[in-house]
Amino acid sequence: MIKVQMKDKFWSKYMDVVRNEVIPYQWDALNDRIPNAEPSHAIKNLRIAAGEEQGEFYGMVFQDSDVAKWLEAVAYSLENHPDTHLEETADELINLLGRAQQEDGYLNTYYTIKEPNNRWTNLRDNHELYCAGHFIEAAVSYYKATGKRKFLDIMIKYTDYIISVFGTEEGKIPGYPGHQEIELALIKLFDVTGEEKYLKLSKYFIDQRGEQPHYFEIEEREREDKQPFFFYNGYEYHQAHIPVREQDKAVGHAVRAIYMYTAMAALARKTNDATLKQACEKLWDNVTKQQMYITAGVGSSEFGESFSFDYDLPNDACYTETCASVALVFWAKRMLDVEIHSKYADVMERALYNGTISGMNLDGKKFFYVNPLEVWPQACNRHDKRHVKPVRQTWFTCACCPPNLTRLINSIGHYLYSVKNNQIYVHLYAGNETRLKLNGQNIRIAQKTEYPWNDQVILSVTPERKSAFTIALRIPNWCKQAEIRINNERIHVNQQDNGYAYIDRIWDKDDQIEVLLPMSVKRVRSHPNVRENVGKVALQRGPIVYCVEEVDNGENLPNLFVPIHTQFDIHFEEELLGGVVTLTGDGLRIEDSVWNGELYSSNTFQKKRTKIKAIPYYAWCNRTPGEMLVWINEC
């Protein structure tokens, strides 16, 4: 068991915002109390399902999942900051869930209110199992945080009912969810209950997917649905086009895909399934080496919120849903559980500091669903860019991203460490105090750091008694000259092929490790097959990807050029954007005077000197709205 208490300057700001602003704000949103925002109706739906109010179901078919993710975020918040009032609010909501649950265990407001006789008739489209999965995850987290079983028992009853419905046995439905989620949730339920039946159900959903005869075609015929499916009339959208073990390229809806890959990785570990592990490795390589943005955004196409094809990574029309980057963090951690390798933790870190938290204003009151890498506000009026918003929104009709990001931020401590055999692995660097067990012994680890702005990390290691074990420290892929000292004595960095530096020694109370991870400004270039970025560079320092904004650099940001010899100065600006490191350097712009008002000219253009200022990508659009750009011309 690893218990982490976060004490990190960077993440504590986010966790405080989530606790003090976002959780109350989202509770108000679920109760339709946010002026000028899309109504949620989620709590009212539960009251109608419980027979306590009259009315019609309102919202998306998966509206219940917003409630589940809110409860999960509350659970993680209570782990770090016990709050009697918040816990009482959650308990009252859990009681309402219990009253809305049907006698056989079923819990879904859409079908209970709107189509009570049509349960499980449209698994492809209508998210019953997806919502169940989010409720299971929330129930497990709430039980772990509070020790209270009521929510867990509600979901055990529902899950046992689901087991009675699905399978290949006579009289059962041989189907699986259109939107994956329950597969990974069932593994968490197995972990807290020890009941093999939950692991088996997860495995069944994974194994059955894409098999012939195709279940989605069977249920289409049964409900007499003759409409062609919108996504090329195929099942790539659901990753159900072929069995999962045969898949080697990420296709279809990005969030569905990565939730499935997360479950596959967890199942591979739990069941020692080498074929699932191999499939996960191939899919990981495809996503991170051909289909991932530098911000760890994934899913480049607005059509179907989907992956498209290798190296298709447009900056100004991308989708890169916040939920997809959140899911990438989940998957990376599960891959680390299967095999310790820094390539997984590097991507996890990239997503955490860039493509996830960009989805929320610094004050926690507005959100991005889509996270572009280039914005020209006027162009967002084009039909083909209508999904790209130049400013964050107060809420959404489909509001999956805000509560998903909230639960991730509050659970950040779950991603820092792993324990295997006689080894403690440090995956991420952030201030914290942690207690864990290793070979029956209690060990305390404390990290102090100003990461991601400062390159120094101090780890204090305190075992109960002198003992020999290994601490393995991830050396990030952006750092080429790490230094490690133990009790002020520099040691050789024994970095293995998996990207971790292993320290084997007899540890005593208050031993101290100092890690230095030099953070030079890197010019990152894309593979030449990424056509959008040929001749351009992105700026990165440490784990932080940078962008330029109109408020600092003027309009027409694509007219900026970075000379190859430019050296960027580093400034920590405490009063800017909550305290960030900014980059400033010399740049160039094309003079527009030679055009004389013409649209085209054969004249040789001249460049004039200018200054370029870059801020962390995650913090863009927290000042005056305007243009934004990640990839800058290099000359």
Side-chain angles (χ1 to χ4, degrees):
M1 188 70 172
I2 302 174
K3 292 187 176 180
V4 179
Q5 187 73 24
M6 293 298 294
K7 294 181 178 293
D8 184 70
K9 189 173 181 181
F10 183 90
W11 286 110
S12 290
K13 285 182 182 178
Y14 274 95
M15 295 173 79
D16 289 347
V17 165
V18 166
R19 185 177 73 257
N20 297 323
E21 302 292 342
V22 182
I23 286 177
Y25 180 89
Q26 292 183 359
W27 179 242
D28 284 343
L30 294 174
N31 285 278
D32 307 319
R33 297 196 290 252
I34 303 296
N36 303 316
E38 290 285 347
S40 167
H41 215 262
I43 302 302
K44 188 173 180 66
N45 287 340
L46 284 167
R47 293 196 181 105
I48 295 170
E52 297 172 3
E53 288 189 21
Q54 299 296 312
E56 298 294 325
F57 177 89
Y58 178 89
M60 312 294 284
V61 292
F62 46 81
Q63 209 75 353
D64 289 352
S65 66
D66 293 345
V67 175
K69 284 179 279 191
W70 184 84
L71 279 167
E72 189 177 355
V74 167
Y76 293 134
S77 182
L78 293 174
E79 275 185 357
N80 281 281
H81 297 278
D83 182 326
T84 302
H85 176 70
L86 180 60
E87 190 170 337
E88 287 175 352
T89 301
D91 287 342
E92 290 172 4
L93 176 55
I94 290 165
N95 290 336
L96 176 58
L97 288 172
R99 297 194 299 274
Q101 186 171 36
Q102 304 302 290
E103 287 187 10
D104 58 5
Y106 186 78
L107 179 58
N108 183 287
T109 63
Y110 174 82
Y111 277 99
T112 297
I113 298 169
K114 194 165 186 175
E115 297 188 57
N117 298 319
N118 288 330
R119 293 181 191 175
W120 317 122
T121 57
N122 190 351
L123 298 179
R124 187 192 71 186
D125 301 330
N126 281 1
H127 291 70
E128 283 165 282
L129 292 169
Y130 167 83
C131 290
H134 273 302
F135 274 129
I136 292 168
E137 283 200 272
V140 169
S141 298
Y142 199 75
Y143 170 67
K144 285 183 173 181
T146 66
K148 296 178 179 178
R149 285 196 60 96
K150 182 164 188 178
F151 192 9
L152 186 66
D153 289 338
I154 289 170
M155 294 319 300
I156 285 173
K157 181 178 180 181
Y158 188 13
T159 308
D160 288 345
Y161 165 68
I162 291 170
I163 289 173
S164 74
V165 171
F166 289 94
T168 55
E169 301 92 334
E170 184 75 25
K172 289 189 174 183
I173 298 173
Y176 42 84
H179 195 314
Q180 303 90 315
E181 212 288 338
I182 194 172
E183 299 89 342
L184 62 93
L186 287 165
I187 296 166
K188 292 184 178 183
L189 188 58
F190 163 72
D191 286 339
V192 296
T193 64
E195 293 280 355
E196 289 279 345
K197 59 185 177 181
Y198 303 129
L199 190 65
K200 289 179 180 177
L201 182 60
S202 177
K203 186 176 186 302
Y204 159 77
F205 284 138
I206 291 293
D207 290 346
Q208 189 73 357
R209 194 170 207 86
E211 294 289 344
Q212 296 294 333
H214 204 288
Y215 181 73
F216 291 163
E217 294 176 354
I218 294 171
E219 70 168 16
E220 273 181 357
R221 290 193 293 270
E222 290 179 350
R223 65 174 182 266
E224 298 182 349
D225 182 356
K226 297 180 181 179
Q227 295 294 320
F229 187 66
F230 85 97
F231 196 80
Y232 308 116
N233 199 27
Y235 299 116
E236 286 85 355
Y237 179 76
H238 312 87
Q239 299 77 44
H241 53 302
I242 54 177
V244 299
R245 289 170 178 79
E246 298 174 22
Q247 297 183 29
D248 58 9
K249 285 191 179 294
V251 297
H253 190 275
V255 177
R256 297 173 196 236
I258 299 178
Y259 279 177
M260 183 180 80
Y261 305 156
T262 303
M264 288 166 61
L267 274 174
R269 176 171 177 255
K270 297 288 184 184
T271 63
N272 295 314
D273 189 327
T275 58
L276 271 182
K277 179 176 181 287
Q278 290 166 5
C280 285
E281 289 168 344
K282 290 178 182 178
L283 289 162
W284 179 270
D285 284 346
N286 177 247
V287 170
T288 61
K289 294 181 178 180
Q290 280 92 38
Q291 299 202 67
M292 184 181 77
Y293 287 85
I294 191 172
T295 56
V298 287
S300 65
S301 175
E302 183 269 341
F303 181 65
E305 303 177 325
S306 64
F307 292 103
S308 54
F309 54 89
D310 292 354
Y311 303 112
D312 178 42
L313 297 169
N315 296 311
D316 60 346
C318 59
Y319 206 72
T320 48
E321 182 182 343
T322 302
C323 281
S325 287
V326 170
L328 191 58
V329 175
F330 300 158
W331 185 23
K333 182 57 170 67
R334 289 297 191 173
M335 293 300 286
L336 276 171
D337 292 341
V338 174
E339 177 192 7
I340 299 294
H341 198 293
S342 62
K343 65 183 180 181
Y344 303 125
D346 286 336
V347 169
M348 184 165 69
E349 179 180 74
R350 184 176 293 277
L352 284 168
Y353 284 100
N354 299 288
T356 58
I357 56 176
S358 60
M360 184 174 75
N361 254 33
L362 295 176
D363 64 5
K365 295 181 179 179
K366 291 184 179 180
F367 306 89
F368 277 138
Y369 195 104
V370 172
N371 293 274
L373 279 75
E374 179 179 346
V375 168
W376 179 15
Q378 189 175 346
C380 296
N381 295 320
R382 288 173 55 103
H383 183 76
D384 58 344
K385 294 181 182 177
R386 65 195 183 280
H387 58 288
V388 178
K389 305 301 180 188
V391 295
R392 294 176 180 86
Q393 309 294 296
T394 54
W395 202 246
F396 306 94
T397 302
C398 174
C400 54
C401 294
N404 219 5
L405 179 56
T406 300
R407 67 174 179 145
L408 174 68
I409 290 170
N410 271 359
S411 64
I412 190 73
H414 293 221
Y415 300 93
L416 303 187
Y417 302 100
S418 291
V419 173
K420 284 192 176 183
N421 302 320
N422 200 40
Q423 298 169 328
I424 300 169
Y425 290 91
V426 182
H427 304 306
L428 299 173
Y429 299 105
N432 68 89
E433 290 183 3
T434 295
R435 297 182 183 276
L436 54 84
K437 276 192 177 292
L438 186 70
N439 297 330
Q441 179 183 188
N442 292 315
I443 296 172
R444 184 175 68 83
I445 295 178
Q447 283 193 50
K448 292 184 178 180
T449 182
E450 296 291 322
Y451 201 88
W453 313 124
N454 189 285
D455 60 6
Q456 183 188 55
V457 183
I458 303 292
L459 297 97
S460 299
V461 183
T462 304
E464 281 183 317
R465 58 187 179 275
K466 266 190 178 184
S467 53
F469 53 88
T470 300
I471 293 181
L473 306 166
R474 178 181 66 95
I475 307 301
N477 62 353
W478 47 260
C479 178
K480 303 305 179 187
Q481 293 181 317
E483 294 181 21
I484 298 175
R485 291 181 174 85
I486 298 179
N487 300 331
N488 295 319
E489 182 178 338
R490 186 170 177 175
I491 66 169
H492 171 68
V493 179
N494 181 25
Q495 186 173 349
Q496 303 294 312
D497 290 342
N498 70 351
Y500 284 74
Y502 287 73
I503 307 172
D504 304 300
R505 61 177 274 131
I506 296 173
W507 299 91
D508 203 353
K509 290 182 180 179
D510 296 319
D511 277 343
Q512 191 173 92
I513 306 170
E514 180 184 10
V515 187
L516 292 176
L517 303 169
M519 295 180 176
S520 61
V521 178
K522 305 284 188 184
R523 292 181 182 225
V524 183
R525 298 170 182 85
S526 295
H527 189 288
N529 285 350
V530 183
R531 301 182 180 202
E532 292 267 342
N533 298 338
V534 172
K536 299 178 181 179
V537 294
L539 303 176
Q540 180 173 335
R541 180 179 180 270
I544 302 292
V545 174
Y546 282 75
C547 70
V548 290
E549 282 195 289
E550 182 179 348
V551 66
D552 299 312
N553 300 279
E555 63 182 10
N556 196 7
L557 297 177
N559 188 23
L560 285 179
F561 291 77
V562 181
I564 200 164
H565 56 76
T566 290
Q567 298 294 314
F568 282 90
D569 296 324
I570 298 164
H571 305 274
F572 182 74
E573 299 191 39
E574 190 167 359
E575 301 302 317
L576 180 65
L577 300 168
V580 297
V581 167
T582 60
L583 310 179
T584 56
D586 294 330
L588 297 171
R589 279 182 177 274
I590 296 175
E591 289 267 25
D592 61 5
S593 58
V594 298
W595 265 257
N596 296 318
E598 297 296 327
L599 184 59
Y600 303 104
S601 173
S602 60
N603 293 333
T604 302
F605 56 76
Q606 302 295 318
K607 292 177 182 173
K608 63 179 179 180
R609 295 184 182 278
T610 188
K611 284 290 184 181
I612 293 175
K613 180 174 182 177
I615 66 160
Y617 168 78
Y618 75 80
W620 84 275
C621 197
N622 277 280
R623 297 174 292 168
T624 305
E627 297 180 40
M628 182 275 293
L629 186 71
V630 170
W631 291 95
I632 309 170
N633 300 308
E634 187 177 45
C635 63

